[in-house]
Amino acid sequence: MASDRASERPFDLVLLGATGFTGGLTAEYLAEHAPAGLRWAIAGRNADKLARVRDRLARIDASLAELPLLTADSADPASLAELAGSARVVVTTVGPYLTHGEPLVAACAEAGTDYLDLTGEPEFVDRMFTAHHETAQRTGARIVHACGFDSIPHDLGAYFTVQQLAPVDGPLTLRGVVRGGGTVSGGTFHSAMTQFSRARQMRAASSERRALEKQLGQRPEGRSSRAVAAKPGKDPVTGYWLLPLPTVDPFIIARSGDALAAYGPKFRYSHFAGTKTLRYAAGGAAGVTALTLAAQVGPVRNALLGRIKQGEGPDEARRAKSWFTVDFVGETGGRTIHTRVSGGDPGYGETAKMLAESAMCLALDDNPPTSGSVTTAAAMGDHLLARLQSAGMRFEVLD
């Protein structure tokens, strides 16, 4: 539930960034699926563009012709403070978050307003914890990062797998194997290139976070939960060739393991991309290496970023052909289980669905009492899992 401070505000939910591509898809999902009586609004810098988005939404639901429009800019802290003070939950699709995100996190933490985003940037997540976790705990705000393809299928997929193994009373090792067919969003590409170019700053932010977690007693007594690197090779359970995947997802999953005792006394998670052949695995490794090297050279990085623009995406027909799967293999106490999360277009359609359902889950459902910087599994767990299953994402146990 929202903090007492936020309970009487005019809006249950405000979406910032609705004029962008993914933000527009999220607004359309809300127009189609929000329950009657949900008090919501869209926000952005440009009132004319917001009005055009509202016109599009009104074609889905005529009652949305009067949907409130709020003007706010990530470069204007006063407008963000006003936005945060008007809502119980604020959702933002405005990235890269390392560049544009902190002022809104700060405003929501101070106002006791729940915050959700789509970031896949580990440095941003760590810096927001260091700067704003204590304030959010004090005000009752829940700061929930990575509420799209990064990292909900992975975080809730791990959560679902742990449930199938319960009770876990010994060491548990879990690996996730991602496969997909689709287009990477412009925002995701820009965020990834930014992170590839900031390895030193990422390490520093992670160290600062760990120091503060230790100071605050965030680490659980008598338990440990970690993301661990693993070697590439062929998986004996899934049959896929595995390539270690350097994303935010394993860090999010390890933090859920810290927060939730159900993950057992010693939880270890490894994260991979999976391919059917060794040739594709080798090609993928070469591609990641090439992008990492390119990100270190400013002119090359800028040229690549200029070719893939933010705020744009593929048409509906192309999105309809996209898909993803995430396989999990969990091993504990002599038992092995193989589960899978699957869905449609990961970069856009399913991301909009996951973000919108997360926002409605925080606004409407009776979730566990949490505050501060929390993961989707810790903040929403069973309720968000049920919502996504009802919305068409599959969580299943395989033979």
Side-chain angles (χ1 to χ4, degrees):
M1 301 295 288
S3 67
D4 292 340
R5 189 175 174 185
S7 59
E8 299 302 323
R9 294 177 182 175
F11 301 113
D12 297 314
L13 187 161
V14 173
L15 170 63
L16 177 65
T19 58
F21 191 83
T22 303
L25 292 176
T26 305
E28 290 174 9
Y29 187 92
L30 287 168
E32 294 171 352
H33 299 282
L38 182 74
R39 303 168 302 155
W40 66 289
I42 56 175
R45 292 182 299 175
N46 188 304
D48 291 337
K49 289 183 178 179
L50 285 171
R52 289 196 288 273
V53 173
R54 181 171 63 184
D55 290 343
R56 193 167 79 239
L57 301 179
R59 292 194 287 273
I60 297 171
D61 180 347
S63 69
L64 296 177
E66 302 301 322
L67 183 73
L69 309 179
L70 308 179
T71 302
D73 189 336
S74 61
D76 180 1
S79 72
L80 297 179
E82 184 176 355
L83 177 69
S86 72
R88 295 170 55 217
V89 178
V90 172
V91 187
T92 175
T93 61
V94 181
Y97 293 92
L98 196 58
T99 305
H100 303 294
E102 182 168 10
L104 183 58
V105 176
C108 288
E110 184 60 41
T113 302
D114 293 337
Y115 164 98
L116 300 95
D117 66 28
L118 291 174
T119 191
E121 304 161 61
E123 183 186 350
F124 175 73
V125 174
D126 288 342
R127 292 196 182 284
M128 294 308 95
F129 179 92
T130 303
H132 305 293
H133 173 73
E134 290 176 274
T135 300
Q137 281 196 316
R138 173 175 55 80
T139 64
R142 292 169 289 191
I143 308 299
V144 191
H145 301 292
C147 294
F149 186 66
D150 286 327
S151 295
I152 283 179
H154 316 92
D155 192 29
L156 286 191
Y159 178 82
F160 173 80
T161 306
V162 171
Q163 287 182 323
Q164 312 314 307
L165 289 165
V168 178
D169 52 14
L172 167 60
T173 61
L174 182 67
R175 58 187 178 272
V177 183
V178 186
R179 301 185 68 243
T183 303
V184 174
S185 74
T188 297
F189 183 75
H190 278 245
S191 294
M193 290 298 286
T194 298
Q195 290 301 303
F196 286 157
S197 70
R198 295 177 60 86
R200 179 175 56 81
Q201 294 93 329
M202 284 176 60
R203 288 193 296 270
S206 179
S207 295
E208 291 168 10
R209 177 182 181 134
R210 287 197 301 271
L212 181 58
E213 286 175 334
K214 184 176 181 180
Q215 177 186 328
L216 297 176
Q218 294 286 128
R219 298 285 180 174
E221 290 290 334
R223 296 194 300 114
S224 66
S225 175
R226 295 177 190 164
V228 295
K231 295 179 180 179
K234 190 168 186 180
D235 191 307
V237 176
T238 66
Y240 299 131
W241 288 92
L242 303 182
L243 173 67
L245 197 57
T247 63
V248 72
D249 307 303
F251 303 106
I252 298 291
I253 291 167
R255 285 164 193 153
S256 293
D258 270 337
L260 300 171
Y263 287 57
K266 184 180 179 181
F267 175 70
R268 300 291 182 266
Y269 179 77
S270 300
H271 196 56
F272 301 91
T275 66
K276 288 186 176 181
T277 67
L278 179 59
R279 178 168 61 90
Y280 283 121
V288 170
T289 300
L291 282 177
T292 302
L293 292 173
Q296 314 308 312
V297 183
V300 176
R301 181 176 67 248
N302 293 336
L304 289 171
L305 293 176
R307 295 184 64 180
I308 302 178
K309 299 185 182 300
Q310 295 176 259
E312 299 178 359
D315 61 25
E316 186 174 356
R318 188 171 180 184
R319 297 198 307 272
K321 297 177 182 178
S322 300
W323 58 273
F324 78 87
T325 63
V326 188
D327 284 57
F328 295 89
V329 179
E331 298 172 298
T332 183
R335 295 177 291 156
T336 299
I337 192 169
H338 180 192
T339 67
R340 177 176 292 165
V341 181
S342 58
D345 170 40
Y348 297 97
E350 295 289 64
T351 281
K353 174 193 294 183
M354 288 183 271
L355 183 62
E357 290 290 354
S358 296
M360 291 189 287
C361 188
L362 280 187
L364 302 174
D365 297 345
D366 187 15
N367 294 298
T370 56
S371 63
S373 181
V374 287
T375 66
T376 53
M380 294 173 271
D382 292 338
H383 289 118
L384 184 56
L385 182 60
R387 281 181 169 274
L388 294 176
Q389 288 172 315
S390 295
M393 281 180 60
R394 297 185 65 184
F395 293 75
E396 56 189 325
V397 178
L398 304 182
D399 291 334

